[in-house]
Amino acid sequence: GAGVSQSPSNKVTEKGKDVELRCDPISGHTALYWYRQSLGQGLEFLIYFQGNSAPDKSGLPSDRFSAERTGGSVSTLTIQRTQQEDSAVYLCASSLATNTGELFFGEGSRLTVL
Amino acid sequence: QKEVEQNSGPLSVPEGAIASLNCTYSDRGSQSFFWYRQYSGKSPELIMSIYSNGDKEDGRFTAQLNKASQYVSLLIRDSQPSDSATYLCAVNFDSNYQLIWGAGTKLIIKP
């Protein structure tokens, strides 16, 4: 597709379950970001991938969160043992190169933890 | 600590008027500045980028950058109800890939 694709668009899960969120960036975009946005709040940086370089994981809130990017394209964000405070919209963005702020966002994955 | 500040609003502007959105940032080493628009329930979309002092115009939108005073503004001329959204300011410090985001200003255009 032409844009950043995220799935699922909506996920409801029970506390303690694991969830996986997927992001397929724009073709040719080497940089990929994951952000989290809670209701009415700003963007919280989670993790950054650039090509084959080691990812910047400095924004991951706890060791329950992990992410990988296979083949420099699709990325998966995994949240283990979900908690209610994990409820938020998880946004993926990609960009053509490093040190630009021209990000293209997916529509997000809304996670609700009951 | 690198920070980007925006007035959270809401900023209410009558239709057809100029909407002025402001953003200040903490680091003089900042390189690049971006305005994103986020409609309620949607994801952010880039509307303007500015890299050097002065004004940059794109249709009804004008971005203004003043590095000496460490602020960047977004002007929306002939405001339309469809401009009602939250506007996010983002700053790229030291040519780093990491963007620092403001919390956003909610803009309401009243018909």
Side-chain angles (χ1 to χ4, degrees), chain A residues 33 35 45 48 56 58, chain B residues 91-93 96-101:
Chain A
Y33 302 75
Y35 288 94
F45 167 76
Y48 165 80
D56 176 357
S58 61
Chain B
V91 178
N92 183 297
F93 292 91
N96 191 291
Y97 58 81
Q98 184 66 274
L99 279 179
I100 307 299
W101 295 82

Side-chain angles (χ1 to χ4, degrees), chain B residues 14-85:
Chain B
E15 183 177 357
I18 296 175
S20 178
L21 303 162
N22 298 311
C23 170
T24 59
Y25 57 94
S26 62
D27 193 316
R28 287 183 178 273
S30 303
Q31 300 289 323
S32 318
F33 308 85
F34 306 88
W35 284 101
Y36 284 78
R37 177 177 62 199
Q38 186 173 26
Y39 291 115
S40 180
K42 300 295 186 182
S43 55
E45 59 177 325
L46 178 68
I47 54 171
M48 288 288 285
S49 58
I50 186 165
Y51 301 92
S52 55
N53 275 329
D55 294 2
K56 179 182 177 182
E57 187 175 318
D58 184 1
R60 296 186 296 112
F61 297 95
T62 299
Q64 299 178 318
L65 175 60
N66 185 322
K67 287 189 176 182
S69 301
Q70 294 175 231
Y71 80 79
V72 55
S73 302
L74 179 70
L75 303 179
I76 307 174
R77 289 181 300 281
D78 187 24
S79 297
Q80 303 296 311
S82 59
D83 295 325
S84 298

